[in-house]
Amino acid sequence: MSGPALHLAVELDGDGAHPAAWRRAAHSPDQLLTPRRVARVAAVAENAGFTLITLDDGVLPPGGSPDPVGRIGAVERAAFVAASTSTIGIAPVVPVTYAEPFHVSSQLASLDHISAGRAGWVVAEEEQPGAARAWGRPPVEGAEARARESRDGVTVARALWDSWEDDAVVRSVATSRYLDRDRLHYVDFTGETYAVKGPAIVPRPPQGQLVVLGRPERLSADLLDVALVDGRDVAAVASAAAGAGTPRVFAEVEVALDTPDATGAERVADLERHAPWTDRGRLRHVGPADHLVALLAELGRHVDGVRLRPLVLDEDLPVLSRLVLPALSERRLVARPLPGTSLRSTLGLERPANRFATAAALEDAR
């Protein structure tokens, strides 16, 4: 545990966690992918005091008929949000089942530069066969093979983020030098399915290493900064958190809150007429805001943070902003991110030393 403050993240993809959430949204479906919509929802989350927003993604469109499908890439949305926010952390979901880790690491490093050190990465997997066809690549079949691709992808990205030492950029007008070439390094990674030599094409991120979030059952603890754990009740979440072995642990919680117009149960029932809210083994709260406050306070005894997945963003996010986060703040159970603070600092994580600079220093000391 990082301390008494619970860090709250919120998933902002689409119109909400329910596949038919668009039916209760406060906007017409054609407004979902507009810049104004993306910026407005992110601003609500930042003003409410959330630590982090996440943006789901995948090469295949979400949902299915008769619901609207389609999304803008998470990294592109994250870059846009980074330019319109100032304190909140931003973590796109980026699978590396088929994507090239070299390009992923460059995109995420660029995002950290754009956001001045507020970027994270939620590691996920592409499980549908159609994803391989979309990428034009042979399918990665089986859970272990997908986990291997994720492990290798994160390993490569982390090595590439270190392939530029912090002072590799010189920018000397007098000597016409931009780089100190001795401070750029090959990563020389060789895995089961590919090899990467490096170095990166983007300078080291401001955080040194972005905050990496993922499933502890899919990635080893040494590759993760934040484990995302599930559980249908607090006891199950506590057990999963205890075994994660990562610096920080976030619980996944789905929420459908009572609003002035309808109870959470009524809202769920209304959407269930169109599509089921799939049970993914996560803790789910349906009911009043004060009960959610109590639940989050209890979870705070076992985890460092919670990622909330609202049923319908346009209905649940205002309740979270007006009732839940202020109540938690009054009880000093959460803390708002401070301006000018990196996501790593907000989460109480140290900025890691550069592996190549450290190795060189050790060699010089011998």
Side-chain angles (χ1 to χ4, degrees), residues 27-361:
H27 63 87
S28 59
D30 64 323
Q31 296 299 305
L32 175 61
L33 303 182
T34 61
R36 179 177 297 179
R37 161 73 181 178
V38 174
R40 183 182 69 80
V41 176
V44 171
E46 179 170 62
N47 292 336
F50 280 96
T51 296
L52 176 68
I53 62 174
T54 63
L55 299 164
D56 201 3
D57 202 4
V59 69
L60 299 178
S65 182
D67 299 311
V69 296
R71 57 159 61 109
I72 297 171
V75 174
E76 289 78 8
R77 281 179 287 158
F80 179 79
V81 168
S84 61
T85 56
S86 59
T87 60
I88 197 165
I90 308 158
V93 172
V94 186
V96 284
T97 309
Y98 300 105
E100 296 287 350
F102 187 92
H103 300 313
V104 169
S105 71
S106 299
Q107 290 176 320
L108 293 171
S110 298
L111 176 62
D112 205 42
H113 283 285
I114 294 169
S115 65
R118 293 182 286 125
W121 174 20
V122 182
V123 184
E125 297 176 0
E126 297 275 18
E127 299 181 5
Q128 300 300 320
R133 293 192 295 271
W135 279 100
R137 299 187 59 182
V140 177
E141 299 179 343
E144 179 50 40
R146 291 192 298 271
R148 176 200 64 213
E149 294 298 318
S150 292
R151 290 193 299 269
D152 286 355
V154 176
T155 299
V156 168
R158 285 193 176 279
L160 287 168
W161 292 335
D162 276 352
S163 65
W164 291 49
E165 294 184 34
D166 288 321
D167 52 356
V169 179
V170 178
R171 293 192 179 97
S172 172
V173 175
T175 62
S176 299
R177 294 176 66 218
Y178 177 73
L179 291 174
D180 182 345
R181 57 193 290 178
D182 293 331
R183 299 189 187 279
L184 269 64
H185 304 276
Y186 296 118
V187 301
D188 290 328
F189 171 85
T190 301
E192 293 184 38
T193 58
Y194 59 82
V196 176
K197 191 167 186 64
I201 58 174
V202 178
R204 195 174 192 226
Q207 295 182 98
Q209 297 272 321
L210 276 72
V211 176
V212 179
L213 305 90
R215 304 288 175 188
E217 67 272 16
R218 311 304 295 156
L219 291 167
S220 57
D222 62 303
L223 293 176
L224 292 174
D225 297 297
V226 179
L228 300 172
V229 299
D230 295 324
R232 289 189 172 87
D233 53 39
V234 174
V237 169
S239 177
T246 51
R248 301 289 178 264
V249 180
F250 276 37
E252 299 271 31
V253 179
E254 299 171 337
V255 296
L257 295 168
D258 293 353
T259 69
D261 299 321
T263 67
E266 290 170 344
R267 295 168 54 233
V268 171
D270 177 50
L271 293 178
E272 292 286 278
R273 296 185 297 112
H274 306 285
W277 192 7
T278 304
D279 183 353
R280 303 186 185 278
R282 298 172 182 145
L283 201 161
R284 182 177 291 180
H285 170 78
V286 179
D290 59 339
H291 290 187
L292 177 60
V293 171
L295 173 62
L296 294 176
E298 186 177 3
L299 285 170
R301 298 165 50 199
H302 308 286
V303 297
D304 303 284
V306 173
R307 177 162 66 155
L308 299 174
R309 294 175 173 270
L311 180 79
V312 180
L313 285 173
D314 286 346
E315 294 180 325
D316 292 287
L317 198 53
V319 180
L320 291 168
S321 301
R322 292 196 310 267
L323 300 178
V324 177
L325 272 79
L328 291 168
S329 182
E330 287 178 6
R331 297 171 61 176
R332 298 187 177 180
L333 296 176
V334 297
R336 299 176 68 96
L338 299 175
T341 303
S342 72
L343 180 57
R344 296 192 73 88
S345 295
T346 297
L347 295 176
L349 299 168
E350 293 184 359
R351 187 180 189 274
N354 184 289
R355 70 188 70 187
F356 295 103
T358 300

